[in-house]
Amino acid sequence: MEQYAVDQLKAKARVSRTTPQLSRAERLNRWAELLESDPTRSLVTLRETEYLPRDQRGMMRIAGSPISVAYADPVLRASGLEGDTYGDAQSFFDLSDRQLHGLVCSCHFGAQVDAGVVARHLRAASVTGVKGILARMRLLFTR
């Protein structure tokens, strides 16, 4: 076995990243694309997320939710999505509680929602610099 000094390794080694480092916008866009790939897919929402304490809300999960669609993607998992809980999604996608609540809670959509609807809401929520409910509503209907 050959041994090298660190300086020698730098000259000889070719280092490449094995895990993609996606920006926040790229992560959100990837999630929206996954949802849009089957827009009529019926997804399950999380029930009344706003009523639970933060620690319990963070542990919420349900199979077949918009969050589980993201977690099923190997690219997002390789980029750091650690699980399919509310807290995992909030942290990984860098969403406020209000933003994530608007994407996955039953109070907005009922017990089930089409993936395409969540994708439209996700794209509207991820646009920076858009202020006001009317501007966000316009985004929902024009995309």
Side-chain angles (χ1 to χ4, degrees):
M1 180 167 116
E2 294 180 322
Q3 294 183 2
Y4 296 96
V6 173
D7 292 336
Q8 291 172 322
L9 278 177
K10 287 181 183 176
K12 291 184 176 251
R14 183 179 291 203
V15 179
S16 65
R17 286 188 181 162
T18 57
T19 58
Q21 299 298 314
L22 302 176
S23 69
R24 177 182 186 266
E26 290 170 327
R27 293 188 307 263
L28 291 168
N29 188 56
R30 176 93 180 164
W31 189 14
E33 288 173 351
L34 292 167
L35 293 165
E36 291 165 342
S37 70
D38 187 2
T40 60
R41 177 180 176 185
S42 184
L43 300 173
V44 182
T45 58
L46 281 79
R47 191 161 187 260
E48 300 177 342
T49 64
E50 69 273 27
Y51 296 115
L52 292 176
R54 181 180 298 269
D55 59 334
Q56 289 179 10
R57 183 173 49 242
M59 294 185 300
M60 289 181 80
R61 65 165 303 281
I62 189 164
S65 73
I67 298 169
S68 66
V69 170
Y71 186 63
D73 181 52
V75 172
L76 292 178
R77 283 198 320 272
S79 296
L81 182 56
E82 295 178 359
D84 65 349
T85 68
Y86 186 98
D88 292 329
Q90 186 175 18
S91 174
F92 179 74
F93 291 108
D94 192 24
L95 294 169
S96 70
D97 202 39
R98 183 177 183 178
Q99 289 172 317
L100 187 56
H101 170 261
L103 296 171
V104 300
C105 189
S106 63
C107 70
H108 293 280
F109 306 112
Q112 295 187 328
V113 62
D114 285 347
V117 171
V118 178
R120 282 193 304 276
H121 282 264
L122 175 58
R123 290 198 184 278
S126 66
V127 175
T128 57
V130 177
K131 299 197 185 292
I133 191 159
L134 293 177
R136 290 192 189 279
M137 286 178 67
R138 185 174 63 245
L139 284 173
L140 285 172
F141 296 110
T142 58
R143 287 190 177 230

